Amino acid sequence: MANAFDAIEECHTANKSHRVVVRVVRGQPPAGTLLDGLSGGVGPVTGFDVVDTGVGFTRENFDSFSEADSPRKVSSGGKGVGRLLWLKAFEKAVIESVYHDGAALQHRNIVFNLEHGVREVGNGVATDHSEGTLLRLVGLQPAYSCPQRTEILANRLIEHHLEQLLVSSKVQFLLVDEQCGVEMDLRKHFENHYQCDTLDVTFKVRKRLFKLKHYLVRGAIGSHQLAFCARRRFVTAYALSNHIRDLKTALKRPALGEVFYFGMVTGKALNEWVNETRSDFNFASADSFTDEPTGDEILARACQEVRGYLTDDLSRMRTQKQERIRNVVASKAPEMRAVVNRHEELVDSLAINASETEILTALAGRHFADRDEMKQLHAELMKLAKAGEMLEAGKKRLIERYASAAQQENLVALGAFTCHRKAVVDVLTSLLSAGDDGTHQLEEAVHQIIFPLRKTSDGVSLDHCNLWLIDERLNWHRYLASDTRADKLDPINPEPGKEGKEPDIIVFHEAYSTSETTQNPVCVTIIEFKRPGREAYDDDENPHKQIKEYAKLIRRGKARDHQGRMIPGDETTRFFGFIVADMTEKLRRLLKEEGYKEQPNGALYSYEEGLCLQIETLTYAQMLDSATRRNRAYFKQLGMPDL
């Protein structure tokens, strides 16, 4: 093909229109089977005819063709060995050429094969012909495969000869496949499917300059590619999906539809480094002492330019990938939601067309790494706790890291489930036995382990919050917010003047019953933590009044859930409150004044009939004792002793 375009460039006949025609030669249709993508009655590709209207096989061209290592086209990038590649893929080449010898048109017929080399089998004066050459490539070797569909053949021809199409703008370029009934104008195909959007950029690698031409391609190219070219000829191509992870599917442009990226890198250095067969480049090696760039360096720099050109597309694709990952997690593994939120790098590590299995496998791998981190942090905390050290800043940070890791624990496996709960009980026991220095460090540390401060259930996995320490049912909630202002909660829209209220933890869940109705009334659980050992409580810090005010706010019908749906504010809505605190005499007296009654275990409870609000107290010791007793059988089964 390159020779055909070169021959046309050498032809100086005035007012002559030029063209290159590639004819597909096919054999007999196979019996009973169809070739890939083709209808019946179409045989396999066995060869090609290439016709051009160029200068023909003049004496100079024939002598050059007959010479094994001809320097004839070195100045234009030719290596003089291209014709030898014909015989690697085909049995022989037959050439019929008409040329002008200065006086008249002459014809020359040539046969070229491995057995006899170049043989001129006929020559003389031509009649009723104009300048041009017919090259027949006969007998495709079995070791070489060839695309069978005409459209794919067209794309391959265009990709290999993009520069000729751009430079030789007046040359008609045709592909004819008679068995398929196709005659395709490749220039029009190129303009319709390739030149959707073009841009040239120049980049530098070390001291060498390169040019990158960007194309967006409609049609059957099927993948994103970056081609390195030399002397107007395609040499090597790289699949960009191996270098830019998200480039595995078509781009979607509003004005163009689905397109693929095709980039073409050229430069003086590539012209110098192309090998004799124009099949690769002689790049400098990474350990060489030359200052020349390596092929990997050029490729990496070109990919950087591609990323810049496709910034908007890659951003959209990343957003789509994030949404797909979140949908898979929501439907298949909701316990992994926090892993996705915590590890943003997982989005980049997954392909845009990753399967559900690939997504879940990646999440599980990251989760197990988090679990190992949690075990290490637990061991460090145990060392500090046994040493009796106070909650200094360094230890607080360690607790926060531990709490974050603990919430990633996968409760699916019983062993991991039990290890997690044992670790939480042990750490809380150590914290509460260490005492407090009068600040809020201990209160915050306990809160952080039960559920992270200033988080919602959308940011922490449902199965990884530790509300089971208070009540197992609270883990199965609809929506949860921790230490968040009431006017900032997704499900609450407070009345004017009521802003700024901060329930420690508020949980929206269902009240499951044995009725046959399909709708369950909404339940709201409000939890207030008070610092261990706290003595003083003024009116504003009265936990009973705090919980009651939060319940009133929701009962007024101003609440919506995180999907924007109204939460019922009638008599079907039930409220539960927990006051988690050390039961000092001051707190006991304050609550009894509010009408609380005492249970046999020493806990206090109250019921506000008008609000359907039930509140009970829970000391830290009671919380730990209840949680330990509920899980002791699991701890014992795995041989985990008490701290």
Side-chain angles (χ1 to χ4, degrees), residues 323-372:
E323 185 64 23
R324 169 166 166 71
I325 291 170
R326 293 186 186 282
N327 288 340
V328 170
V329 169
S331 62
K332 300 295 183 181
E335 71 275 10
M336 292 293 182
R337 182 169 55 188
V339 179
V340 175
N341 292 335
R342 185 181 181 193
H343 295 288
E344 191 69 17
E345 73 279 3
L346 277 172
V347 177
D348 296 320
S349 68
L350 287 164
I352 192 169
N353 58 350
S355 66
E356 283 189 358
T357 300
E358 290 170 333
I359 292 172
L360 294 175
T361 299
L363 290 171
R366 183 62 263 178
H367 168 72
F368 288 133
D370 287 343
R371 187 180 66 177
D372 290 340

Side-chain angles (χ1 to χ4, degrees), residues 595-616:
Y596 278 65
K597 298 179 181 179
E598 191 164 350
Q599 301 182 79
N601 65 354
L604 301 179
Y605 73 97
S606 169
Y607 183 71
E608 295 278 343
E609 186 171 355
L611 284 173
C612 291
L613 168 61
Q614 178 180 317
I615 306 176
E616 63 181 280

Side-chain angles (χ1 to χ4, degrees), residues 283-561:
F283 291 120
S285 62
D287 56 356
S288 66
F289 295 101
T290 178
D291 195 36
E292 297 288 8
T294 65
D296 288 342
E297 289 174 332
I298 301 168
L299 178 60
R301 185 65 180 83
C303 287
Q304 183 181 339
E305 293 292 336
V306 174
R307 288 190 187 92
Y309 177 68
L310 299 177
T311 294
D312 293 341
D313 299 278
L314 293 172
S315 178
R316 282 194 298 269
M317 295 171 83
R318 192 176 195 280
T319 300
Q320 293 169 6
K321 183 166 61 170
Q322 287 176 316
E323 185 64 23
R324 169 166 166 71
I325 291 170
R326 293 186 186 282
N327 288 340
V328 170
V329 169
S331 62
K332 300 295 183 181
E335 71 275 10
M336 292 293 182
R337 182 169 55 188
V339 179
V340 175
N341 292 335
R342 185 181 181 193
H343 295 288
E344 191 69 17
E345 73 279 3
L346 277 172
V347 177
D348 296 320
S349 68
L350 287 164
I352 192 169
N353 58 350
S355 66
E356 283 189 358
T357 300
E358 290 170 333
I359 292 172
L360 294 175
T361 299
L363 290 171
R366 183 62 263 178
H367 168 72
F368 288 133
D370 287 343
R371 187 180 66 177
D372 290 340
E373 178 189 0
M374 187 201 71
K375 290 179 179 178
Q376 294 174 4
L377 293 171
H378 176 249
E380 293 180 49
L381 281 169
M382 290 302 96
K383 287 176 62 177
L384 291 173
K386 290 179 180 179
E389 297 184 21
M390 298 298 290
L391 285 168
E392 69 280 357
K395 187 174 180 181
K396 181 184 176 184
R397 286 193 297 272
L398 189 60
I399 292 169
E400 290 172 348
R401 286 176 58 204
Y402 168 76
S404 177
Q407 281 129 24
Q408 306 296 318
E409 182 73 67
N410 190 340
L411 304 183
V412 176
L414 179 60
F417 168 89
T418 306
C419 289
H420 168 69
R421 291 201 167 192
K422 185 64 166 66
V424 170
V425 169
D426 286 352
V427 171
L428 277 176
T429 300
S430 298
L431 292 176
L432 294 171
S433 63
D436 191 45
D437 59 0
T439 69
H440 290 284
Q441 283 189 356
L442 183 56
E443 179 183 358
E444 289 184 1
V446 172
H447 190 327
Q448 186 80 3
I449 289 176
I450 294 176
F451 196 91
L453 292 163
R454 291 168 287 280
K455 297 286 186 182
T456 70
S457 54
D458 285 341
V460 176
S461 170
L462 300 181
D463 291 336
H464 296 157
C465 64
N466 294 310
L467 290 172
W468 56 269
L469 288 160
I470 298 171
D471 189 323
E472 293 282 356
R473 294 170 296 179
L474 295 181
N475 266 17
W476 305 100
H477 54 265
R478 176 188 293 180
Y479 181 80
L480 185 152
S482 168
D483 202 52
T484 304
R485 284 177 49 181
D487 59 319
K488 298 298 183 183
L489 291 176
D490 284 354
I492 299 179
N493 181 19
E495 297 175 343
K498 298 295 184 180
E499 297 87 359
K501 295 184 177 297
E502 298 178 345
D504 282 338
I505 294 178
I506 185 165
V507 185
F508 293 79
H509 52 102
E510 310 284 359
Y512 292 98
S513 66
T514 58
S515 70
E516 294 181 357
T517 61
T518 58
Q519 296 294 325
N520 288 306
V522 171
C523 282
V524 180
T525 297
I526 303 166
I527 305 170
E528 276 294 314
F529 290 97
K530 298 303 175 185
R531 179 168 51 85
R534 179 172 179 167
E535 292 284 349
Y537 291 90
D538 57 26
D539 196 62
D540 288 338
E541 290 294 319
N542 183 328
H544 171 79
K545 290 184 177 180
Q546 289 174 327
I547 292 175
K548 189 174 178 180
E549 284 299 312
Y550 304 147
K552 286 180 179 179
L553 182 64
I554 297 170
R555 177 54 63 87
R556 290 192 182 102
K558 302 296 183 179
R560 293 178 182 269
D561 67 16

